[in-house]
């Protein structure tokens, strides 16, 4: 009974965190579209709106699921990264390494499990002065664990901000990412 309660508590926390992220992201996306229109950049505005609508559709589809395939999560992340990278004038190099032995169609994880980490990279790691900004996501399986490594060559965390990490929305996700998922 205790395990069932803990599992439901974890699921509830994930749902709460997902609902907090969505309005923030939607606001930023709408602001980006507005800026493209103000700059009279119709092509980028249309491209951004197309990617944004695809991502919203995926979010709606995934939000009703307790688990989705890793393949669907990767598709979601690629759409998200495309949108965020557009705000950086597509300067950020994105590399996705998936271990050959990993069957992304069979592994299921909670939806939007990895996305908050990626969001933190775009919010905190890079600014417009970054030289050759790179985001690397590696997925592999060790025994019955899914390992997701997210690396960037951004500016890092300032020492005065280290104490603030305890209140980050992604803290809960960092615990779950190492949890037995397979």
């Amino acid at each position: 009974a205790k395990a069932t309660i803990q599992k439901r508590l974890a699921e509830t926390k994930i749902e709460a965190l997902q609902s907090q992220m969505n309005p923030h992201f939607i606001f930023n996306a709408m602001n980006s579209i507005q800026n493209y229109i103000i700059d009279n950049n119709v092509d980028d505005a249309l491209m951004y709106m197309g990617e944004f609508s695809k991502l919203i559709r995926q979010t709606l589809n995934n939000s009703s699921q307790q688990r989705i395939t890793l393949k669907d999560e990767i598709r979601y992340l690629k759409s998200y990264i495309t949108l965020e990278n557009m705000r950086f004038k597509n300067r950020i190099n994105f590399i996705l390494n998936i271990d050959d032995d990993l069957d992304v169609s069979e592994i299921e994880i909670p939806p939007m499990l990895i996305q908050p980490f990626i969001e933190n990279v775009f919010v905190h790691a890079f600014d417009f002065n970054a030289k050759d900004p790179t985001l690397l996501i590696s997925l592999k399986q060790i025994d019955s664990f899914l390992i997701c490594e997210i690396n960037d060559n951004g500016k890092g965390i300032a020492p005065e901000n280290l104490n603030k990490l305890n209140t980050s929305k992604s803290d809960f996700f960092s615990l779950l990412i190492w949890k037995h998922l397979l």
Side-chain angles (χ1 to χ4, degrees):
K2 184 177 179 181
T4 303
I5 291 171
Q6 288 177 335
K7 180 181 176 190
R8 184 59 195 136
L9 179 61
E11 290 170 352
T12 302
K13 286 181 180 180
I14 289 172
E15 291 167 6
L17 290 172
Q18 289 170 344
S19 69
Q20 290 174 0
M21 191 282 306
N22 288 337
H24 181 258
F25 174 72
I26 291 170
F27 174 78
N28 287 341
M30 297 304 288
N31 191 39
S32 294
I33 294 168
Q34 180 181 12
N35 287 336
Y36 285 129
I37 293 170
I38 289 170
D39 292 343
N40 202 25
N41 189 341
V42 176
D43 291 339
D44 282 344
L46 291 173
M47 184 176 160
Y48 197 99
M49 284 177 57
E51 283 297 317
F52 179 63
S53 66
K54 182 169 56 171
L55 191 70
I56 292 298
R57 200 173 310 116
Q58 288 175 308
T59 301
L60 291 172
N61 289 339
N62 294 348
S63 67
S64 63
Q65 313 264 340
Q66 288 290 330
R67 294 190 177 279
I68 61 171
T69 64
L70 186 55
K71 181 178 180 178
D72 288 340
E73 180 76 354
I74 291 168
R75 186 178 322 125
Y76 184 85
L77 290 174
K78 285 179 178 178
S79 292
Y80 180 82
I81 291 167
T82 297
L83 283 175
E84 289 291 59
N85 203 9
M86 284 182 72
R87 294 188 319 129
F88 284 84
K89 309 289 187 221
N90 294 313
R91 289 182 38 243
I92 297 172
N93 301 310
F94 169 55
I95 302 165
L96 176 62
N97 290 331
I98 301 173
D99 190 43
D100 291 335
D101 297 331
L102 196 63
D103 188 350
V104 296
S105 297
E106 290 296 319
I107 296 172
E108 292 188 342
I109 63 172
M112 294 172 53
L113 181 65
I114 302 169
Q115 184 275 337
F117 291 106
I118 306 304
E119 181 177 11
N120 280 341
V121 169
F122 281 96
V123 171
H124 300 292
F126 303 126
D127 58 24
F128 285 95
N129 298 320
K131 293 184 180 184
D132 195 32
T134 301
L135 167 62
L136 169 65
I137 302 173
S138 298
L139 298 166
K140 60 185 172 185
Q141 182 176 342
I142 298 179
D143 297 323
S144 60
F145 291 87
L146 171 65
I147 306 297
C148 176
E149 293 182 56
I150 300 168
N151 295 293
D152 64 71
N153 64 345
K155 58 187 174 184
I157 300 171
E160 63 271 12
N161 291 331
L162 284 174
N163 290 337
K164 296 177 185 176
L165 288 178
N166 292 333
T167 60
S168 171
K169 289 181 186 178
S170 66
D171 283 346
F172 181 69
F173 289 106
S174 65
L175 296 174
L176 282 180
I177 201 75
W178 303 111
K179 186 178 176 184
H180 187 260
L181 293 174
L182 304 174

